[in-house]
Amino acid sequence: MESEPKRGRGLFDGWSKSSLKSLLEGCSWQWALQRIGGLEGGSTPHSAAGTGLHAAIEWHEQCRIDGLPTPDEAELILAAYHEATLDGGNIPPNLAAIHGGPEQAAQWAAELTHTWYHSDVREKMLTYTPIAVERHYEVGVYTDKPTLRGYLDWIGRDEGGVVTVVDYKSAADTRRWTDADKHLVEAAVYLYLASTDEAFENEPVRMEWHVVPRRGEPTILRGPTMNPDLAYFTIQQVSAAQAIMDAAAYKTNPSWNLCSERWCNFYHGCQVSGQLSPDEIQFPTPAEAPLPPSPPDGTGG
């Protein structure tokens, strides 16, 4: 596993797939509360179960990279259960009361891992050659600063030797995973990052999602191959998100399907009491924000 540090709340240091989707397709106000304001959005058993599944598959694939025997099903299920339980500790009480807490997350993670282990999706993966799991990329887009960053679940070569980015997805079912065009931001960002890798210079790089549902059979959704139009689309997305941030033009999005007390930990404060609404909180633009504290003597800066 790559050891690059994950980003913390209340610290903006570059655009990611999730940030772009939150600002441009979801609720930019929710994003600002977390990434600028530093508030805890919390997890859900659905996302915690996905964390568990990711941990199991990552371990499986890292063993293949290292030339070691892959863990058996019981070991993978135990790893998924453990990681989901840990992440489930971040589920806020109000969301746990609706969806379930760490125990639910761990149960789902174990079931998802069992499903994946016995699926055609895993059998297909075994015909691919892994190069890295959770590889971290940071690249400039329209400035010389690292403006786009992310972790790729899996990157390697398919059975034909083509460089392939695989993103694992857990889901209730596969209905959302039938049309790659509906996940274009995700594909564009991941392919843009992978295409900057000197190891793959001048090679085609393509995208796949490996979807493991709680109901039904796992499936593979094949996405696009990196091309100039996708590169331009990525730059447009980053530019649009940066414009929102530069103007501090964050807005609530009540029509978003996740704007609900079932899914958003800020819903009551934002939509009911108003304590977390734009009427009560004003975020500064980057030009207005105070400079970070100077580093201690001798540390540079």
Side-chain angles (χ1 to χ4, degrees), residues 56 59-60 70-82 109-110 113-114 116-118 122:
W59 182 23
H60 183 280
T70 56
D72 62 28
E73 180 186 2
E75 292 173 318
L76 291 171
I77 287 176
L78 184 61
Y81 190 97
H82 175 72
T113 303
H114 169 80
W116 174 80
Y117 191 84
H118 294 281
R122 175 173 173 265

Side-chain angles (χ1 to χ4, degrees), residues 41-175:
S43 183
T44 66
H46 311 75
S47 61
T51 297
L53 175 66
H54 274 69
I57 300 177
E58 181 182 331
W59 182 23
H60 183 280
E61 291 303 290
Q62 188 62 58
C63 286
R64 294 180 64 209
I65 293 169
D66 296 339
L68 300 173
T70 56
D72 62 28
E73 180 186 2
E75 292 173 318
L76 291 171
I77 287 176
L78 184 61
Y81 190 97
H82 175 72
E83 289 298 322
T85 300
L86 288 178
D87 194 50
N90 298 317
I91 302 172
N94 57 310
L95 296 183
I98 297 171
H99 303 289
E103 298 83 3
Q104 180 66 79
Q107 177 186 336
W108 282 345
E111 293 170 355
L112 288 165
T113 303
H114 169 80
T115 298
W116 174 80
Y117 191 84
H118 294 281
S119 70
D120 291 342
V121 168
R122 175 173 173 265
E123 289 301 317
K124 186 67 172 179
M125 176 67 85
L126 291 174
T127 70
Y128 293 6
T129 302
I131 294 174
V133 293
E134 284 291 299
R135 174 164 285 181
H136 178 259
Y137 289 94
E138 248 181 65
V139 300
V141 175
Y142 61 92
T143 71
D144 57 0
K145 299 185 297 182
T147 55
L148 191 65
R149 56 183 295 164
Y151 291 82
L152 305 189
D153 284 351
W154 188 99
I155 189 166
R157 297 184 182 276
D158 66 14
E159 71 272 38
V162 177
V163 179
T164 303
V165 175
V166 174
D167 193 47
Y168 315 126
K169 292 294 182 185
S170 60
D173 53 50
T174 60
R175 286 177 296 177

Side-chain angles (χ1 to χ4, degrees), residues 9 39 145 162 172 209 265:
R9 295 182 304 277
L39 299 184
K145 299 185 297 182
V162 177
W209 291 272
N265 198 35

Side-chain angles (χ1 to χ4, degrees), residues 17 20 28 55 92 127 144 146 149 151 158 164 176 183 214 229 238 265 285 293 296:
K17 174 268 298 182
L20 293 176
S28 61
T127 70
D144 57 0
R149 56 183 295 164
Y151 291 82
D158 66 14
T164 303
R176 288 185 59 244
H183 308 280
R214 299 198 305 275
D229 288 342
V238 172
N265 198 35
T285 67

